[in-house]
Amino acid sequence: MPASTRTLGGVSPALHENECLAPCRDTCASTTTAPTDEHTEDAAPAAGFPGEELYVTFIDKEGQEHKIAVNKGDNLLDIAQAHDLEMEGACGGSCACSTCHVIVLDQGMYDKMPEPEDDENDMLDLAFGLTETSRLGCQVHMTKELDGLRVKLPSMTRNLQASDFK
Amino acid sequence: MAVIGSGPAGFYTAYRVMSRVQGAKVDMYEQLPVPFGLVRFGVAPDHPEVKNCQEKFEEVGSSPNFTFVGNASIGHPSTHPGGVTIPLPTLLRNYDAVVFAYGASRDKTLGIPGEGLKGIYSAREFVGWYNGLPDFADLAPDLTQGEDAVLIGQGNVALDVARMLLENVDRLRKTDIGEHALETLSKSRIKRVHIVGRRGPMQAAFTIKEIREMMKLPDVAFNSLDTSLIPDDVKKLPRAQKRLMEILLKGSPTSVDSATKSWYLDFCLSPKRFESNSRDPSRVGSTVFEKTQLSSPFDTNAFTTGTGELVDIPSSVVFRSIGYKSVPLDGFSDLGVPFDEKRGIIQNDGEGRVQHEARTYDGAMGVSHFPGLYCAGWVKRGPTGVIASTMIDAFATADAIAHDWAAKAPFLNEDSQDRRASGWDAVKTQVDSQQARIVEWEEWQKIDRAEKERGRKVGKEREKFTRTADMLAVLS
């Protein structure tokens, strides 16, 4: 069964203080990918064991990249919310909606993840802009194998759906 | 900004506008003393995880820039004790923007003979009743007349109703379903639930999560379906359809012989009339359907034609679940707010700006916007979709508002000499509030705590008040 916890796994409260607030977004949300990025530097001490943090990069709807240092076990929804990225998680991470839909950019990375359970697939079936490498952020937990993971947040424009206006 | 309606569409619009427009103040009007609309009164009690979005709404509700005005009806006269009625023009005079997010408060009817017989309910009233909606507190559905229930319509609401009828009542006891509903359900004699649709499985409105749940119900069996309506090679179907068809073909692990209750998905049947019960002519006894033929069985857009062949399904109780319907607010026609009666929506540009098409002087069709008027949710796009779709849709409306505000587009009351966009503070001085008992956010929180306390005593998350008077009594 999917976890329904809202707590931030291994992410310590210190990470909250480094939430990417609006002014920060202007400076660090560019396409910086080097680990020297200001944001990731700040976040790194939050990892449980220095030197063992993992990195995940979110590409938001505007195409901006956010590289974030995280701990093993953290799920993508909690990470995104702790960094004020636009990911809703309407059901609180209990695999009962599709609002934390992410697209894994690398097929190889997608294959390294444990296969989605039926209930995750059931929700993905209803997601807008479903792809072959779509997952629910709340169900993807960071592991060493997933270090360097890159995911894209799908744009959710309903008004492009012609079927809505029949 | 004023938001009319406090369901997910209203809250998600408010949330997004407050985060996109600096200093935005939002007043939310709700005709009941309690917020959250269909999250509270629609979402099935055994789907508590779906209600987790309330956490976000609680956050919005507690914001200093947000005011909840509960027990206040816009347009039509309030039917609740202490309820205040605010004419729409009064509201419009006091805001820069007004968002209609009041949802779909009616249901569609079949318009066939016998629909008035006893024992025929709309799914909307039944769902409202078990979820504690005050309007239907006195519904008292009778589930003791026989063993066959017929659900007309195959959407997820129909599956919610079916689950309530099939599920072991003891499994529901821990949910926030009302004690009154538990009592009625525990006396239910229903053993077979027929979920009937005009079209086939490839066209059905239900979604896979709800079907999977039904298949997994302990001691409940799924009766096999007409497989000729499913393509031979389901593997070739698009992902979502393939998975749904596979689960229908696989059926339930519980066999009909060993089950205590069972359910059917009856396809290609169109309701023609209701026959009365031979023992009690005032009560429904069976439903007569005409078999239909699909124009193309595997095409999701297939339409049907009648074959003339009639089928009779015994019906101890019937639930009509063919969709909800929005209605215009009192005052729309005077103000010229365009309402599309056929689709049951406020006319809008798809992003939530209220607009209407009109002929210009030279005879061409043009579009004109109503500055400052927006809509979101079911009254914007029609009564379909889950909370995720309502959220996306509400965000689109909020983004349109934020865009228009930043672009200095015209809003309400631009021309008035003394611009009085002072919101609820001004509105309350302009309405007849002699007997009014407005419920503020902190007061809702008191009701919320009282409900949770009542729930604790019976081992549930909450025990809702089903009468507005009882909700208000907590506050006195």
Side-chain angles (χ1 to χ4, degrees):
Chain A
M1 276 303 288
S4 64
T5 171
R6 289 219 57 174
T7 54
L8 268 174
V11 181
S12 81
L15 195 54
H16 286 286
E17 289 159 20
N18 288 311
E19 280 182 7
C20 191
L21 301 169
C24 166
R25 187 167 288 180
D26 292 335
T27 54
C28 78
S30 59
T31 50
T32 325
T33 49
T36 50
D37 169 58
E38 193 185 337
H39 189 145
T40 54
E41 281 271 309
D42 285 353
F49 302 97
E52 287 193 14
E53 63 272 12
L54 309 168
Y55 288 92
V56 56
T57 302
F58 290 87
I59 296 148
D60 69 20
K61 283 154 205 164
E62 283 76 41
Q64 304 265 35
E65 298 202 359
H66 305 259
K67 183 168 181 174
I68 298 168
V70 299
N71 280 324
K72 196 177 144 197
D74 295 345
N75 77 55
L76 298 185
L77 172 63
D78 289 342
I79 295 166
Q81 293 198 329
H83 289 263
D84 266 8
L85 297 178
E86 209 176 280
M87 194 193 280
E88 229 10 82
C91 75
S94 56
C95 202
C97 71
S98 55
T99 56
C100 65
H101 173 203
V102 295
I103 297 163
V104 179
L105 287 178
D106 179 65
Q107 180 75 46
M109 276 293 188
Y110 178 84
D111 293 339
K112 283 182 195 169
M113 297 172 180
E115 279 196 24
E117 306 257 354
D118 283 342
D119 46 3
E120 181 182 349
N121 274 327
D122 290 354
M123 288 298 120
L124 283 170
D125 281 353
L126 305 178
F128 299 109
L130 182 69
T131 71
E132 294 285 328
T133 59
S134 287
R135 293 296 303 254
L136 291 185
C138 68
Q139 300 302 306
V140 176
H141 295 264
M142 286 302 291
T143 60
K144 216 167 162 74
E145 293 72 48
L146 296 181
D147 188 20
L149 176 67
R150 290 165 59 80
V151 297
K152 189 169 167 282
L153 308 184
S155 71
M156 301 190 292
T157 23
R158 274 194 65 88
N159 38 5
L160 294 179
Q161 295 207 321
S163 60
D164 287 349
F165 293 94
K166 263 180 203 161
Chain B
M1 178 171 105
V3 177
I4 303 173
S6 69
F11 265 104
Y12 276 123
T13 308
Y15 160 61
R16 180 83 152 198
V17 166
M18 288 163 71
S19 68
R20 295 285 156 118
V21 180
Q22 210 171 7
K25 284 199 182 307
V26 175
D27 297 344
M28 183 178 281
Y29 292 85
E30 167 57 53
Q31 61 176 335
L32 287 165
V34 296
F36 305 146
L38 281 184
V39 175
R40 178 181 163 107
F41 296 116
V43 173
D46 57 344
H47 287 169
E49 66 286 351
V50 177
K51 303 186 194 201
N52 284 345
C53 57
Q54 286 177 188
E55 286 177 27
K56 173 68 78 182
F57 305 161
E58 294 280 356
E59 223 176 89
V60 174
S62 303
S63 157
N65 286 331
F66 178 92
T67 305
F68 179 71
V69 187
N71 212 14
S73 174
I74 309 298
H76 60 273
S78 172
T79 53
H80 303 292
V84 69
T85 303
I86 302 169
L88 190 56
T90 308
L91 202 71
L92 263 48
R93 270 203 304 277
N94 292 290
Y95 288 93
D96 295 311
V98 172
V99 180
F100 302 108
Y102 60 83
S105 60
R106 305 283 168 83
D107 40 49
K108 292 180 187 148
T109 51
L110 293 160
I112 59 173
E115 211 167 343
L117 288 169
K118 273 197 276 180
I120 301 175
Y121 305 93
S122 78
R124 193 180 71 87
E125 59 192 11
F126 185 68
V127 169
W129 166 78
Y130 67 64
N131 276 328
L133 182 63
D135 302 18
F136 302 122
D138 297 316
L139 186 71
D142 187 346
L143 307 176
T144 64
Q145 294 294 318
E147 299 185 346
D148 292 278
V150 167
L151 289 171
I152 298 175
Q154 293 182 325
N156 285 336
V157 174
L159 294 193
D160 281 349
V161 171
R163 230 171 41 255
M164 290 304 128
L165 297 173
L166 293 166
E167 200 156 19
N168 185 326
V169 177
D170 289 330
R171 280 164 52 100
L172 292 171
R173 287 192 198 282
K174 298 236 173 296
T175 71
D176 70 0
I177 193 170
E179 287 293 313
H180 63 292
L182 285 173
E183 199 185 322
T184 300
L185 290 173
S186 66
K187 290 183 190 147
S188 165
R189 289 177 55 205
I190 301 298
K191 284 202 163 27
R192 291 170 296 275
V193 177
H194 297 261
I195 307 167
V196 190
R198 274 186 310 121
R199 300 196 292 168
M202 291 290 286
Q203 295 82 27
F206 49 65
T207 55
I208 187 164
K209 174 193 169 181
E210 282 72 14
I211 290 288
R212 189 186 301 281
E213 245 179 325
M214 294 280 291
M215 293 293 183
K216 283 184 180 167
L217 288 176
D219 303 320
V220 175
F222 175 59
N223 291 274
S224 58
L225 76 175
D226 177 358
T227 51
S228 72
L229 298 168
I230 296 180
D232 287 335
D233 196 355
V234 290
K235 294 260 178 276
K236 287 187 182 151
L237 291 171
R239 172 197 158 125
Q241 277 179 335
K242 168 178 153 282
R243 297 185 70 247
L244 184 56
M245 293 308 123
E246 282 173 346
I247 203 168
L248 289 176
L249 288 170
K250 193 173 164 203
S252 62
T254 307
S255 70
V256 178
D257 299 336
S258 64
T260 51
K261 295 178 182 174
S262 72
W263 59 291
Y264 301 74
L265 286 173
D266 296 326
F267 295 105
C268 291
L269 293 176
S270 172
K272 285 290 142 199
R273 62 176 186 272
F274 297 102
E275 300 278 4
S276 56
N277 187 314
S278 51
R279 285 164 305 166
D280 177 358
S282 70
R283 177 169 287 283
V284 68
S286 70
T287 312
V288 179
F289 294 90
E290 180 183 18
K291 278 197 179 176
T292 67
Q293 190 162 29
L294 286 162
S295 55
S296 165
F298 310 142
D299 174 1
T300 52
N301 293 317
F303 57 89
T304 62
T305 44
T307 62
E309 189 184 340
L310 298 179
V311 179
D312 201 287
I313 301 182
S315 315
S316 330
V317 61
V318 173
F319 299 94
R320 189 177 59 215
S321 184
I322 52 169
Y324 290 17
K325 194 169 85 176
S326 296
V327 290
L329 287 186
D330 284 7
F332 270 11
S333 51
D334 290 345
L335 292 161
V337 177
F339 193 86
D340 181 338
E341 292 280 356
K342 195 160 151 262
R343 295 176 60 202
I345 59 165
I346 296 172
Q347 287 182 32
N348 69 89
D349 67 351
E351 294 183 357
R353 295 179 184 92
V354 176
Q355 67 173 18
H356 71 162
E357 287 182 356
R359 239 168 245 294
T360 54
Y361 291 117
D362 54 8
M365 287 304 279
V367 167
S368 81
H369 284 274
F370 283 77
L373 295 191
Y374 299 85
C375 55
W378 282 4
V379 77
K380 169 186 174 187
R381 67 172 202 282
T384 61
V386 292
I387 287 176
S389 28
T390 288
M391 183 194 86
I392 292 168
D393 162 273
F395 283 1
T397 295
D399 289 349
I401 297 168
H403 172 274
D404 292 352
W405 191 253
K408 303 207 182 310
F411 274 78
L412 288 166
N413 306 309
E414 296 271 326
D415 307 329
S416 80
Q417 294 208 324
D418 80 297
R419 207 158 157 240
R420 288 179 299 182
S422 44
W424 170 237
D425 285 341
V427 172
K428 68 180 162 199
T429 65
Q430 294 163 33
V431 293
D432 177 19
S433 53
Q434 287 264 303
Q435 305 294 320
R437 183 62 182 88
I438 293 295
V439 176
E440 296 172 0
W441 189 256
E442 292 70 25
E443 293 178 312
W444 145 245
Q445 289 177 315
K446 261 188 209 167
I447 297 172
D448 185 37
R449 283 195 293 272
E451 287 188 340
K452 285 179 175 158
E453 185 53 41
R454 277 156 49 97
R456 251 193 298 279
K457 287 179 188 153
V458 286
K460 306 175 174 175
E461 161 80 18
R462 104 177 31 245
E463 180 66 33
K464 291 175 193 166
F465 294 107
T466 62
R467 314 242 171 217
T468 41
D470 294 340
M471 297 172 185
L472 298 173
V474 174
L475 307 175
S476 58

